[in-house]
Amino acid sequence: MKTGVLEEPTTIVEVLLRHAIERPDATAYVFLRDDGKEETLTFGQLARRAQAIAAELQALTSAGDRAILLYQPSLDFVEAILDRIEAGA
C-alpha cells in the first residue's frame, strides 16, 4: 500500500534521487583540492548532472556496456561514477 511516501531506495542512484528530492540544497560531497580550497556539490546539483550525463550516455551506448573512467581526483569523478551507474554502464 502506497502512502505518498517514497519507497525505500535499493540502489545508490535511488538514494541520491531521494536526497535530491528531500534536501536538494544539502551538501553531498566536499572535495579538498591540492591548493587547500574546498569544492562542494549539493544533492540537487549532483542528481541533475548525473541524470544529464546518463541521458547522453544512454543515447550512445547500450545497457551493460563497459566504461572506463579516466579522471583526476575531483567532483567530476563522483559525478562520472553515478551517471555510469544510472546509465547502466
Side-chain angles (χ1 to χ4, degrees):
M1 175 172 124
K2 293 193 177 190
T3 60
V5 177
L6 295 174
E7 294 180 23
E8 281 300 311
T10 58
T11 69
I12 191 167
V13 172
E14 290 173 357
V15 171
L16 168 62
L17 294 176
R18 178 177 232 171
H19 284 306
I21 291 167
E22 294 178 352
R23 48 193 201 134
D25 297 325
T27 300
Y29 289 96
V30 177
F31 179 74
L32 182 60
R33 299 182 339 192
D34 288 338
D35 62 7
K37 293 184 181 179
E38 291 182 354
E39 291 181 35
T40 61
L41 197 58
T42 67
F43 285 108
Q45 291 170 322
L46 183 55
R48 284 189 299 278
R49 290 180 187 183
Q51 287 175 328
I53 296 168
E56 289 180 31
L57 284 173
Q58 287 172 334
L60 299 171
T61 62
S62 299
D65 282 355
R66 290 186 171 93
I68 186 167
L69 305 176
L70 301 172
Y71 286 87
Q72 294 290 330
S74 67
L75 290 176
D76 291 337
F77 179 73
V78 173
E79 294 170 2
I81 289 174
L82 291 173
D83 63 53
R84 294 326 182 268
I85 293 169
E86 188 167 332

